[in-house]
Amino acid sequence: MPAVVIVGAQWGDEGKGKATDLLGSRVDHVVKFNGGNNAGHTVVIGDEKYALHLLPSGILSPGCTPVIGNGVVVDLSVLFEEIDGLEARGIDTSNLLISANAHVIADYNRTLDKVAERFLGSRKIGTTGRGIGPTYADKMNRLGVRVQDLFDEKILRQKVEGALELKNQILTKVYNRRAVEVDEIVEELLSYVDRLRPMVADTTLHLHEALERGETVLLEAGQATLLDVDHGTYPFVTSSSATTGGACTGSGIAPTRITRVIGIVKAYATRVGEGPFPTELFDANGDRLRENGGEFGTTTGRPRRCGWYDAPIARYAARINGVTDFVLTKLDVLTGWDQIPVCVAYEIDGERVEEMPMTQTGFHHAKPIYEMFPGWSEDISACREFSDLPQSAQDYVLALESISGARISTIGVGPDREQTIVRHDLLDA
């Protein structure tokens, strides 16, 4: 049976959690393969709203095994706070598995994240300050602490000592902060061991055996394509691989196992943090999108920057990820506009450019070229078939499909899992 990947096709916050939840009852395993608690998924089930930050969305689906893969960086205090919050609401979290090879966010990484961002001033990246980037940097510098290290105090202490030899020099001599004591870090991390131990597994082997048994594995990205450290709008990106390639390295599943790639796009565009955003709106339309769409960060509460749909970005995401199907979310938010602009290309230095510019400079200078589409005024939140939509809404979806690089298989017309139109089965090849 297949491994299916879900990725964000813009700058994040596209609604990946809802898409994952829609498939949750039909898949056996949901794997978070990158990122940490620097992004969130909001899932609405009936009258209940769940904000997930570190846990995979599959945690909300009975019978589904949620997995935190080796590509994730784990803040253990956040992990158990999130677990406790769900269990208090009657959600069973006992099936959760965590890779022994996932890296752990230590307190010194959170400190470095915050002080480094302040130090950058106007050149700041716009991080969440949760230690994600410094933890990934430790991983690449072979200074990282992995989940498995917590079960051997000697190894744990050696790794923390090695990391702090360098970090304390930076904290004290560059940022004028106090040095961090090895004992306080080791003591904090060891305090999680007893509760953590039953959750830790060789998740790569577990997922391989699941696929061999004919079970379906859903791989869920944190962040999105335009925030990918290799393929995003660098340097205004996250510190991990948020694309289909990252699904393989972050889970240990071979690329030949992946049969479908589902890209999530909003019917408009948003991003948080710094960086270029060609279709960004600074007028009443941007404010209206933000208010109608509830565009405030699940993790940080920050207001999201809002703009019109950007087709070159969608095509780029389709190409980078090998998208087979798009899920178009929040179509209902566009209700009430007389006309809806869609960016179909860019103007850069007087020339029309159809695709993502190759350079950072080019993208910074890109001006959107819009094509206008008729809007609609009807409430579409109760539509369950594509034919139920007003004709202009149907035309809008079909136009996006024709210029975005893959078919639009599912359409969200509201926040609830039931407020969905299915044009093509996402798990049916």
Side-chain angles (χ1 to χ4, degrees):
M1 289 295 286
V4 178
V5 180
I6 286 185
V7 294
Q10 294 160 316
W11 281 283
D13 308 307
E14 301 96 345
K16 295 183 293 295
K18 177 181 177 180
T20 305
D21 181 62
L22 282 170
L23 298 173
S25 62
R26 300 175 59 198
V27 301
D28 303 292
H29 307 264
V30 175
V31 186
K32 182 182 174 86
F33 63 80
N34 77 299
N37 58 306
N38 55 334
H41 297 320
T42 300
V43 179
V44 179
I45 304 175
D47 295 329
E48 296 292 322
K49 184 177 181 179
Y50 300 91
L52 304 176
H53 305 279
L54 187 55
L55 293 171
S57 299
I59 198 83
L60 300 173
S61 300
C64 179
T65 300
V67 178
I68 293 177
N70 57 276
V72 177
V73 291
V74 182
D75 186 321
L76 293 170
S77 63
V78 171
L79 173 70
F80 291 120
E81 181 181 343
E82 197 165 331
I83 287 172
D84 289 342
L86 290 179
E87 290 183 343
R89 298 173 68 179
I91 302 297
D92 179 14
T93 65
S94 61
N95 286 338
L96 176 67
L97 296 179
I98 302 172
S99 172
N101 289 340
H103 280 245
V104 174
I105 299 174
D107 188 57
Y108 50 76
N109 285 324
R110 289 188 289 268
T111 299
L112 279 166
D113 199 0
K114 293 172 184 175
V115 297
E117 188 78 344
R118 286 197 292 269
F119 186 79
L120 287 171
S122 63
R123 294 179 291 110
K124 66 183 180 179
I125 304 299
T127 76
T128 59
R130 285 163 167 77
I132 309 298
T135 304
Y136 276 114
D138 281 359
K139 179 177 180 177
M140 294 301 136
N141 287 323
R142 283 87 75 192
L143 291 172
V145 175
R146 297 189 294 178
V147 166
Q148 60 177 280
D149 298 330
L150 274 63
F151 305 127
D152 187 323
E153 185 174 348
K154 182 178 179 181
I155 288 179
L156 175 62
R157 183 172 292 275
Q158 288 174 347
K159 290 199 170 186
V160 173
E161 286 174 348
L164 286 178
E165 280 184 16
L166 173 63
K167 295 181 188 303
N168 275 335
Q169 295 292 319
I170 296 171
L171 284 169
T172 58
K173 295 180 180 179
V174 177
Y175 297 125
N176 197 30
R177 299 291 294 261
R178 75 170 183 86
V180 177
E181 297 294 331
V182 172
D183 286 346
E184 68 181 76
I185 299 298
V186 171
E187 182 179 348
E188 180 198 355
L189 293 177
L190 288 177
S191 69
Y192 299 112
V193 166
D194 289 342
R195 191 172 182 190
L196 182 65
R197 193 185 300 274
M199 306 175 185
V200 178
D202 182 346
T203 54
T204 296
L205 177 61
H206 173 86
L207 294 170
H208 172 79
E209 291 176 341
L211 289 168
E212 288 293 299
R213 290 192 300 268
E215 297 173 3
T216 301
V217 175
L218 187 65
L219 298 141
E220 172 188 46
Q223 291 83 41
T225 301
L226 273 294
L227 295 178
D228 182 273
V229 69
D230 284 291
H231 302 292
T233 50
Y234 190 91
F236 304 101
V237 294
T238 193
S239 303
S240 61
S241 297
T243 49
T244 305
C248 297
T249 56
S251 67
I253 289 178
T256 51
R257 291 285 197 174
I258 295 172
T259 59
R260 301 199 73 71
V261 178
I262 301 167
I264 316 300
V265 288
K266 275 180 186 163
Y268 49 101
T270 63
R271 78 171 297 174
V272 294
E274 307 299 318
F277 184 3
T279 68
E280 183 173 10
L281 296 167
F282 301 96
D283 58 9
N285 283 319
D287 294 337
R288 184 175 168 188
L289 283 173
R290 187 176 301 108
E291 292 302 320
N292 289 1
E295 297 298 349
F296 300 89
T298 303
T299 297
T300 64
R302 289 185 292 183
R304 295 173 184 145
R305 300 158 64 188
C306 295
W308 299 119
Y309 188 89
D310 189 320
I313 282 175
R315 289 196 295 274
Y316 176 77
R319 184 171 75 249
I320 292 294
N321 292 293
V323 171
T324 58
D325 300 81
F326 276 123
V327 172
L328 182 71
T329 62
K330 293 195 170 184
L331 184 64
D332 55 300
V333 174
L334 296 182
T335 297
W337 266 274
D338 292 331
Q339 288 192 309
I340 303 171
V342 172
C343 174
V344 295
Y346 306 120
E347 180 188 326
I348 302 175
D349 297 331
E351 294 187 7
R352 182 184 175 104
V353 177
E354 301 284 342
E355 303 295 341
M356 257 302 266
M358 180 181 69
T359 67
Q360 177 184 347
T361 300
F363 199 55
H364 271 287
H365 293 166
K367 298 178 181 178
I369 296 174
Y370 288 117
E371 185 173 335
M372 306 300 292
F373 293 88
W376 59 92
S377 59
E378 300 92 330
D379 181 1
I380 64 172
S381 61
C383 296
R384 297 296 177 267
E385 300 290 337
F386 188 66
S387 59
D388 295 339
L389 292 171
Q391 187 60 52
S392 53
Q394 294 183 43
D395 292 342
Y396 180 77
V397 172
L398 293 174
L400 297 191
E401 182 175 66
S402 70
I403 58 177
S404 296
R407 68 183 187 180
I408 293 176
S409 294
T410 303
I411 303 162
V413 293
D416 193 89
R417 68 159 57 145
E418 303 302 323
Q419 292 177 298
T420 304
I421 296 169
V422 177
R423 297 178 69 214
H424 308 286
D425 191 326
L426 290 172
L427 295 182
D428 183 4

